[in-house]
Amino acid sequence: MSIGSQVVRVLRRNLHQAIYNRRLNEAEALLSQLKQEDPLSLETRGFELDYLIATQQWSDAEIMADKLLRLFPQSARIQYLAGRAYYRVKKYSQALQCLNESKNIHSHWRTLRWLGKTQTQLGLLSEAEATLIAVAAQHIAVDFDLAWLYERMNQPSRALEFIETHLSKHPDDDFAKTQRLRLRTQIQEPEALSEDVDTLLDLDEEVPVEMLPAYLQNLLESGQGKLARQFVLKHQEQFNEKTAASLGWICYQLQAYDLAMNLFIHGLANRTDDVKYLSALESAARHCHRVEELIEQYKSKAPDANRLYGRKTQLEKWMRGAKK
């Protein structure tokens, strides 16, 4: 083996470890060296895409994925990495195609994991279950994916089992603890949940954010709309944008459109590219006769989100038609 080949082999090994262990500054330097030593090989180009994924440069990763699929369509690794890139930009059908192709060329547990996650996103829940169960016993990382899947399948008790399995091996995982609390609130009897939250509110204690969706849903479903409105109006300024959006969807689905609009607006700043979110917000505004208010919201935010100019114009046209 030549000295040049030995250098390339060492660079590849070190680069793989740097990316895997999230030493991204080191990975950047190693990738630069590898591109000088071996610029055109499948392995180097694959590392370029791997690095873009690791550093969350999703637009560049998508462009790179398109290019590498044309150059190396028979590479299981390129198909896998391209699938990861497409997944992150929410092109789930393309991700599914790539991950299936990668599996057919050379099956690997990571490919199966991301295939299962993609199937879940596409609503292929039975297929996702079969895919993820096949690798769950050997790889604990899949526990979270199965928990999410069973939650999508409206089986919170089963989802909780996988979170508990994870916590039995990683008891200090704060994120998993948060998920466990949220799932427990879904399983808890509505009356008991309401009592727990009401007690915290009476004591002026902070209610864990994981308990809020089930609590609000129970109020609305049990005909306690007045209490739901009082709760939201009193506390909505304390909700972060993610929580506001989550609660907004519950209100929207249960036709509490005035509350949904309040909560959606609270979470709007970071959702201006989310077409589904904006459509629901506009629908809520029409239902509760607050379209003019939403137009003003769009007008104030449009300078930082050009998409809103067009949507504002459409709402203005709708208003003119509604007044005829």
Side-chain angles (χ1 to χ4, degrees):
M1 181 180 296
S2 68
I3 294 176
S5 298
Q6 289 178 339
V7 169
V8 168
R9 186 176 65 175
V10 171
L11 284 171
R12 288 175 182 170
R13 182 177 66 245
N14 292 344
L15 178 53
H16 172 76
Q17 289 297 320
I19 291 175
Y20 182 80
N21 292 307
R22 309 294 299 172
R23 302 193 304 267
L24 299 180
N25 289 336
E26 179 183 342
E28 182 180 17
L30 289 167
L31 179 59
S32 179
Q33 293 178 55
L34 184 60
K35 288 166 70 174
Q36 293 177 10
E37 296 287 341
D38 185 36
L40 300 178
S41 72
L42 182 156
E43 290 81 2
T44 300
R45 304 308 301 278
F47 275 123
E48 289 185 74
L49 180 52
D50 203 356
Y51 174 78
L52 290 173
I53 292 171
T55 53
Q56 301 183 15
Q57 299 181 59
W58 303 123
S59 297
D60 291 341
E62 182 186 359
I63 294 169
M64 179 66 73
D66 293 342
K67 182 185 300 183
L68 296 186
L69 285 173
R70 292 193 295 269
L71 293 172
F72 309 108
Q74 299 304 314
S75 167
R77 176 168 169 74
I78 294 301
Q79 292 283 357
Y80 162 73
L81 291 171
R84 292 273 309 275
Y86 290 137
Y87 180 96
R88 289 301 187 184
V89 296
K90 299 184 179 182
K91 293 187 175 181
Y92 299 121
S93 294
Q94 288 175 255
L96 183 70
Q97 181 178 348
C98 290
L99 292 164
N100 269 320
E101 186 64 23
S102 180
K103 181 192 71 171
N104 292 336
I105 296 169
H106 177 72
S107 186
H108 188 279
W109 78 267
R110 288 192 180 89
T111 303
L112 293 175
R113 181 193 179 193
W114 283 92
L115 176 60
K117 287 163 67 73
T118 304
Q119 290 166 330
T120 302
Q121 289 283 12
L122 289 168
L124 306 172
L125 303 184
S126 296
E127 293 92 329
E129 182 179 27
T131 301
L132 294 171
I133 287 291
V135 293
Q138 292 78 34
H139 302 283
I140 192 172
V142 182
D143 287 340
F144 274 118
D145 306 317
L146 279 163
W148 177 50
L149 168 65
Y150 285 119
E151 195 171 353
R152 286 281 305 271
M153 297 173 78
N154 199 28
Q155 298 181 35
S157 296
R158 191 80 190 277
L160 184 58
E161 290 176 14
F162 284 96
I163 294 296
E164 296 285 14
T165 298
H166 175 85
L167 280 168
S168 69
K169 300 173 183 177
H170 299 281
D172 297 326
D173 188 331
D174 289 336
F175 178 73
K177 291 177 183 178
T178 297
Q179 296 296 92
R180 179 173 63 184
L181 176 58
R182 187 175 56 78
L183 288 166
R184 283 177 174 173
T185 65
Q186 294 182 34
I187 298 167
Q188 191 175 5
E189 288 296 325
E191 294 80 7
L193 173 63
S194 292
E195 185 177 334
D196 288 346
V197 174
D198 289 341
T199 299
L200 290 171
L201 292 173
D202 289 341
L203 295 172
D204 203 25
E205 296 284 344
E206 183 176 354
V207 180
V209 68
E210 296 78 21
M211 300 178 72
L212 294 177
Y215 175 69
L216 182 58
Q217 182 171 341
N218 177 53
L219 289 178
L220 292 171
E221 288 181 338
S222 61
Q224 300 180 74
K226 183 177 180 179
L227 283 177
R229 284 168 175 79
Q230 290 174 349
F231 173 75
V232 171
L233 292 174
K234 182 176 180 180
H235 297 282
Q236 67 183 18
E237 294 304 319
Q238 301 167 20
F239 302 151
N240 62 33
E241 292 174 352
K242 182 178 179 181
T243 299
S246 176
L247 296 178
W249 281 114
I250 290 171
C251 294
Y252 182 78
Q253 290 159 1
L254 294 175
Q255 300 182 7
Y257 296 117
D258 55 334
L259 291 182
M261 182 170 173
N262 288 348
L263 291 161
F264 281 151
I265 286 176
H266 188 63
L268 178 60
N270 290 328
R271 301 282 182 138
T272 55
D273 289 327
D274 187 334
V275 174
K276 182 179 177 181
Y277 188 92
L278 296 175
S279 296
L281 170 57
E282 291 160 14
S283 175
R286 292 187 182 101
H287 276 96
C288 62
H289 310 292
R290 294 169 61 187
V291 174
E292 290 184 1
E293 179 184 340
L294 181 56
I295 289 171
E296 292 303 312
Q297 287 286 336
Y298 278 3
K299 187 184 299 183
S300 68
K301 292 179 173 59
D304 297 316
N306 289 335
R307 176 191 294 273
L308 296 183
Y309 282 116
R311 301 192 76 98
K312 179 181 75 70
T313 299
Q314 290 301 315
L315 286 175
E316 289 168 341
K317 288 181 180 178
W318 184 89
M319 284 291 297
R320 289 194 292 270
K323 290 177 179 179
K324 289 181 179 179

